[in-house]
Amino acid sequence: MTSDFEAQLRAVSLRVTRPRLAVLTALRDHPHVDTDTVIALVRADHPTVSHQAVYDVLRALTDAGLVRRIQPSGATARYESRVGDNHHHVVCRSCGAIADVDCAVGDAPCLTASDDHGFTVDEAEVVYWGTCPDCATERTCQ
Amino acid sequence: MTSDFEAQLRAVSLRVTRPRLAVLTALRDHPHVDTDTVIALVRADHPTVSHQAVYDVLRALTDAGLVRRIQPSGATARYESRVGDNHHHVVCRSCGAIADVDCAVGDAPCLTASDDHGFTVDEAEVVYWGTCPDCATERTCQ
DNA sequence: CCAAAAACTTGATTCATTCCAGAAGACCGG
DNA sequence: CCGGTCTTCTGGAATGAATCAAGTTTTTGG
């Protein structure tokens, strides 16, 4: 499993370091977490990793396309390791929970804008806003 | 024109104040601006308005549904006064320019998620990422 | 015009994120 | 296996958007 991550890193010309493997592992096991949570998860195994390293790693991995950055309005940045399949997310307005949603229509549902104003569009990002099951039943969620 | 804003404010039980009218005017004339720009625009006419007032007003207007908050990943919050028609946005990765895009398919194109995980979805927000005409031609854009 | 409630001003504070300088680690060639 | 070089990480300080708090002004209903 770790060797998978090692191969992924080498594939994008990034050096294989403990912090990077730890971040990839954390994101595999915990999708949609924010930076603070990543730091906590990484430190569970490697207590000496600095917060700066996590920020650096997340940026490097995002730039390389190994992880994806999600930032719903009004929330801090979150990351996930599921990439390359153009899926989207449902976000709970109440507690901020995030779940994956596959494209409704084919692989790139809304990629074709009706009028692109001359923009060259290469990606469509969809965020569904609503209420998660927990918050729908009990008002006392968070 | 100002009386329109006055009516809008009263319609949602908000008091009519100079800062609020100024913010609404600024957003009507300059769509997709960030908070700092709103402050600057408001102060052009009313130099004594505090930044805190602008933050308060933007929040109040957003909660009331008179303006819409947009926050593309990695950028600061932006606001626009066009609401109620479920339109979307194209964002330039290079210079951050934003343009409006009407829904490709009907009024709510992607509102139906393929699998909503039990979430009650009430809105679908779409962000198209790409390159604006200016940045596409000249590499030196900002 | 007056009183109550909401909104605004000023100034300080929080928190995610970034910047910086020096130390440590990864990788290439030998 | 080993040193040299360049990337990456550590630790701490700094930035900047956004929020909080106390007190004053303004709006609005009677």
Side-chain angles (χ1 to χ4, degrees):
Chain A
M1 40 175 67
T2 296
S3 57
D4 276 0
F5 294 146
E6 202 177 318
Q8 284 183 28
L9 287 171
R10 293 192 195 282
V12 293
S13 308
L14 286 177
R15 293 191 172 176
V16 179
T17 67
R18 233 164 297 266
R20 287 177 176 170
L21 294 175
V23 166
L24 284 171
T25 304
L27 289 181
R28 180 196 54 193
D29 298 339
H30 302 82
H32 314 135
V33 291
D34 60 27
T35 309
D36 267 355
T37 307
V38 174
I39 294 173
L41 288 168
V42 167
R43 285 186 176 159
D45 284 331
H46 307 275
T48 65
V49 173
S50 65
H51 73 126
Q52 183 59 53
V54 175
Y55 275 99
D56 279 351
V57 168
L58 287 173
R59 168 182 293 241
L61 295 180
T62 303
D63 289 347
L66 291 188
V67 306
R68 189 166 146 193
R69 180 192 176 114
I70 324 164
Q71 186 167 23
S73 293
T76 58
R78 288 156 178 268
Y79 297 86
E80 67 178 353
S81 54
R82 183 180 166 188
V83 294
D85 62 350
N86 192 28
H87 72 279
H88 305 304
H89 299 100
V90 224
V91 182
C92 176
R93 288 187 199 278
S94 175
C95 69
I98 298 183
D100 284 336
V101 176
D102 289 311
C103 273
V105 188
D107 278 358
C110 310
L111 189 53
T112 317
S114 57
D115 177 2
D116 60 10
H117 292 266
F119 279 63
T120 307
V121 176
D122 58 51
E123 184 188 351
E125 184 183 357
V126 184
V127 176
Y128 298 95
W129 289 95
T131 312
C132 73
D134 288 348
C135 293
T137 52
E138 41 170 335
R139 274 290 201 182
T140 54
C141 178
Q142 202 184 77
Chain B
M1 40 176 67
T2 299
S3 56
D4 276 359
F5 294 147
E6 203 178 316
Q8 284 183 28
L9 287 170
R10 293 193 195 282
V12 292
S13 309
L14 286 177
R15 294 190 171 176
V16 179
T17 66
R18 236 165 295 268
R20 286 177 177 173
L21 293 175
V23 167
L24 284 170
T25 305
L27 288 181
R28 180 197 53 192
D29 298 340
H30 302 81
H32 313 136
V33 291
D34 59 29
T35 309
D36 267 353
T37 308
V38 174
I39 294 174
L41 289 168
V42 167
R43 285 186 177 158
D45 285 330
H46 307 274
T48 65
V49 173
S50 66
H51 75 124
Q52 182 60 52
V54 175
Y55 274 100
D56 280 351
V57 168
L58 286 173
R59 169 185 291 241
L61 295 179
T62 303
D63 290 347
L66 292 186
V67 306
R68 190 167 146 193
R69 180 191 175 113
I70 324 163
Q71 185 167 24
S73 292
T76 59
R78 286 156 179 269
Y79 297 86
E80 68 179 350
S81 53
R82 183 179 167 187
V83 294
D85 62 349
N86 191 27
H87 72 279
H88 305 303
H89 300 100
V90 224
V91 183
C92 176
R93 289 187 198 277
S94 174
C95 69
I98 297 183
D100 285 334
V101 176
D102 289 310
C103 271
V105 187
D107 278 358
C110 310
L111 190 53
T112 317
S114 57
D115 177 2
D116 58 12
H117 292 267
F119 279 62
T120 308
V121 176
D122 58 51
E123 186 189 350
E125 184 184 355
V126 184
V127 176
Y128 299 94
W129 290 95
T131 312
C132 75
D134 288 348
C135 294
T137 50
E138 41 171 335
R139 273 292 200 181
T140 54
C141 177
Q142 205 183 77

